[in-house]
Amino acid sequence: QVQLVESGGGSEQAGGSLRLSCAASEYIYSNYCMGWFRHAPGKEREGVATIDGDGTTSVADSVKGRFTISRDIAKNTLYLQMNSLKPEDTAMYYCVAERRLWVGYCQPLDPFRFTYWGQGTQVTVSS
């Protein structure tokens, strides 16, 4: 059972930056897709970014150029660097993971492809 623990959320003003971290309970990066989703009240869950075991990333258009997904394999940690934050980025952010079933499995930002979810970390951006 893979466990994911997020940290790094908080409150920030528009234009500011935050970095989210996700610690995985075991080494999973080479065989797993990992990523970040977010969920704001009254809205559907939205895929933010994913990273495949080979390092290929997929990033939502709404955050492209502002958010960067990365990982530190030695630390078993996934990151989401969020710059130029906007009020519409306010949401609960979830770290996700799923076994990579085939090449390209990670690319669609589809929440139903991911079995393992962290507890979430809140990000609030004020104008």
Side-chain angles (χ1 to χ4, degrees):
Q1 183 79 7
V2 175
Q3 294 183 337
L4 306 169
V5 179
E6 305 97 333
S7 60
S11 297
E12 185 59 73
Q13 290 189 333
S17 298
L18 286 172
R19 188 176 79 158
L20 305 183
S21 299
C22 172
S25 59
E26 57 191 73
Y27 179 75
I28 60 174
Y29 294 99
S30 61
N31 296 323
Y32 277 72
C33 301
M34 295 193 74
W36 295 93
F37 281 75
R38 65 186 182 185
H39 193 192
K43 297 183 179 180
E44 294 186 356
R45 281 182 302 180
E46 178 186 16
V48 178
T50 60
I51 185 166
D52 201 341
D54 63 3
T56 302
T57 62
S58 182
V59 182
D61 288 342
S62 59
V63 304
K64 197 166 290 183
R66 301 188 297 120
F67 291 12
T68 303
I69 188 171
S70 64
R71 62 189 181 184
D72 186 327
I73 294 175
K75 295 183 178 180
N76 234 23
T77 303
L78 181 74
Y79 301 102
L80 184 68
Q81 179 66 44
M82 304 186 295
N83 298 329
S84 302
L85 284 164
K86 303 176 180 180
E88 50 263 45
D89 294 321
T90 295
M92 185 72 79
Y93 283 72
Y94 296 91
C95 177
V96 300
E98 180 55 66
R99 188 175 295 275
R100 181 171 176 257
L101 298 181
W102 57 76
V103 175
Y105 184 83
C106 305
Q107 307 315 307
L109 299 175
D110 181 359
F112 295 101
R113 291 196 173 199
F114 293 88
T115 300
Y116 303 105
W117 290 68
Q119 83 287 351
T121 186
Q122 178 68 37
V123 171
T124 302
V125 184
S126 57
S127 58

